[in-house]
Amino acid sequence: MDAAPNDLDRIAKRKRQNVLRVQRCRARKQSGARIVRIEVTDWAAARDAFIRIGVLKAEQSNDDQAIEAAIAQLCRAGFRAVEARQKASA
């Protein structure tokens, strides 16, 4: 039985998406980036804290990309603080 044109379109689109996903993954590895999973056991408290300190807007609290950006911002700020402390003690 032959696949319908719509099925072929969906299959082709899925293959393109998979190719792009693999290309992005390889590019991240080559640049030294890593993707890690972080389990947040009390998201309500974390969300409220992110909003309170200004790294996340309330309307973005269900937006995965905004949450990722907020966590990345906090990590960068923490890294800079650790570096500054190390330089000051040297």
Side-chain angles (χ1 to χ4, degrees):
M1 182 183 282
D2 291 329
N6 281 345
D7 292 339
L8 292 176
D9 289 342
R10 271 196 304 273
I11 291 169
K13 182 178 179 183
R14 190 172 301 133
K15 285 184 179 181
R16 284 191 305 273
Q17 290 171 336
N18 287 339
V19 167
L20 291 173
R21 180 183 51 78
V22 169
Q23 288 173 339
R24 287 191 305 265
C25 181
R26 287 181 182 159
R28 280 192 300 270
K29 282 184 181 180
Q30 288 175 350
S31 70
R34 298 279 308 258
I35 290 182
V36 296
R37 287 188 162 184
I38 300 172
E39 181 176 340
V40 180
T41 55
D42 188 359
W43 172 239
R47 177 198 61 220
D48 293 346
F50 286 5
I51 293 168
R52 189 171 50 255
I53 63 176
V55 295
L56 184 68
K57 295 178 182 174
E59 61 272 9
Q60 295 177 315
S61 64
N62 290 318
D63 180 345
D64 289 345
Q65 288 180 328
I67 295 165
E68 178 183 335
I71 293 170
Q73 184 178 348
L74 290 172
C75 288
R76 285 190 300 272
F79 182 74
R80 285 191 302 269
V82 169
E83 276 187 326
R85 189 173 354 140
Q86 288 175 342
K87 286 179 182 177
S89 67

